[in-house]
């Protein structure tokens, strides 16, 4: 049986993917030692990116070829705007966090935002799928493992649980299936190009998760 596109992508990017799912940020969550300061900086950086993700998935919806794809992506946009953004609004209010007091223009945060947006704006539909598959497969992978560990901060637990939930899993699996469906009969060059986008996105994620510690 031939290798699916997602299998190829995950195999070719195993090293950078493993580096992200074993990142210090993930290890600190599992060990119960993620500091309040690091978590709150991360929340501000991630909250800003979720806003960007709305634009990223909007580009994908605009470039999608089928109504089934567009319907799914409209659902993704709804979840981002009305579930994830709502989490940040609630968390910032509960913690007394002023996002304006944080510098989201630092290179590691700005590069993730700008490069991921450029992939979706300047590339095709599958470019966005490959980039967001990198982000969402990664989050689902480590979050479902992290749920087995005790977390004293209820807002941190809520964030991890959100990414281990079956709704988020369905989104990660949908992106995987989109790649696999498109990969049938795809040229080796195109498969390699999309694999490169996945790897680039994963490297951006690593630097982004370094940022709260800087």
């Amino acid at each position: 049986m031939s290798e699916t596109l997602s299998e190829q992508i995950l195999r070719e990017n195993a090293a950078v993917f493993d580096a992200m799912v074993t990142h210090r940020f993930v290890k600190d969550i599992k060990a119960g030692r993620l500091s309040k300061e690091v978590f709150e900086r991360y929340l501000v950086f991630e909250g800003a990116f979720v806003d960007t993700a709305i634009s990223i998935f909007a580009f994908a919806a605009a470039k999608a070829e089928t109504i089934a794809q567009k319907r799914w992506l409209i659902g993704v946009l709804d979840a981002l705007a009305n579930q994830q953004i709502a989490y940040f609004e609630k968390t910032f209010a509960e913690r007394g966090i002023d996002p304006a007091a944080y510098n989201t223009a630092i290179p590691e945060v700005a590069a993730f935002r700008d490069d991921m947006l450029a992939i979706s704006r300047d590339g095709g539909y599958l470019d966005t799928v490959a980039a967001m598959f990198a982000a969402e497969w990664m989050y689902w992978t480590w979050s479902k493992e992290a749920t087995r560990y005790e977390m004293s901060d209820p807002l941190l637990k809520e964030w991890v649980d959100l990414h281990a939930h079956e709704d988020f899993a369905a989104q990660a699996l949908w992106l995987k299936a989109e790649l696999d469906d498109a990969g049938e009969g795809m040229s080796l060059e195109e498969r390699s190009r999309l694999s490169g986008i996945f790897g680039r996105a994963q490297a951006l994620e690593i630097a982004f998760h370094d940022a709260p510690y800087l």
Side-chain angles (χ1 to χ4, degrees):
M1 186 175 183
S2 61
E3 187 177 44
T4 68
L5 178 54
S6 67
E7 288 170 346
Q8 176 184 336
I9 287 172
L10 290 168
R11 173 179 56 80
E12 291 179 346
N13 294 283
V16 70
F17 184 81
D18 185 65
M20 181 56 242
V21 299
T22 59
H23 190 281
R24 176 184 177 185
F25 181 80
V26 176
K27 289 181 176 178
D28 284 353
I29 288 174
K30 291 180 178 179
R33 61 173 181 250
L34 187 72
S35 74
K36 175 178 179 289
E37 293 74 21
V38 169
F39 181 46
E40 292 185 353
R41 279 197 294 274
Y42 165 80
L43 286 174
V44 173
F45 296 158
E46 181 67 12
F49 180 74
V50 170
D51 185 78
T52 302
I54 293 174
S55 298
I56 289 171
F57 277 108
F59 278 119
K63 296 177 182 183
E65 295 182 355
T66 72
I67 193 63
Q69 291 168 334
K70 290 177 185 292
R71 282 177 176 145
W72 181 274
L73 290 164
I74 289 167
V76 172
L77 290 167
D78 178 66
L80 287 169
N82 295 311
Q83 295 177 26
Q84 289 212 25
I85 292 291
Y87 165 85
F88 290 106
E89 291 170 340
K90 177 191 73 173
T91 300
F92 292 162
E94 287 188 19
R95 304 281 279 246
I97 297 171
D98 176 13
Y102 293 78
N103 181 13
T104 58
I106 64 173
E108 295 79 4
V109 175
F112 183 54
R113 176 193 64 229
D114 296 343
D115 288 14
M116 293 289 277
L117 185 61
I119 288 169
S120 62
R121 183 190 62 230
D122 303 334
Y125 169 74
L126 289 176
D127 293 36
T128 301
V129 172
M132 295 312 294
F133 175 58
E136 300 198 5
W137 196 259
M138 174 272 290
Y139 264 101
W140 182 48
T141 296
W142 75 255
S143 293
K144 63 185 177 180
E145 295 174 357
T147 58
R148 300 199 299 264
Y149 295 81
E150 290 292 326
M151 292 177 217
S152 58
D153 185 334
L155 290 170
L156 174 58
K157 177 173 171 50
E158 183 180 351
W159 179 245
V160 172
D161 287 347
L162 179 68
H163 291 88
H165 191 274
E166 60 183 16
D167 289 346
F168 190 83
Q171 168 65 4
L173 290 165
W174 182 83
L175 291 165
K176 184 178 188 292
E178 284 293 289
L179 289 171
D180 290 343
D181 288 346
E184 295 181 12
M186 184 181 287
S187 71
L188 294 178
E189 291 78 11
E190 179 65 0
R191 288 171 70 109
S192 179
R193 190 185 71 81
L194 291 170
S195 181
I197 289 174
F198 178 101
R200 173 61 179 156
Q202 210 63 249
L204 289 165
E205 286 277 18
I206 291 171
F208 177 83
H209 284 81
D210 289 340
Y213 292 94
L214 300 177

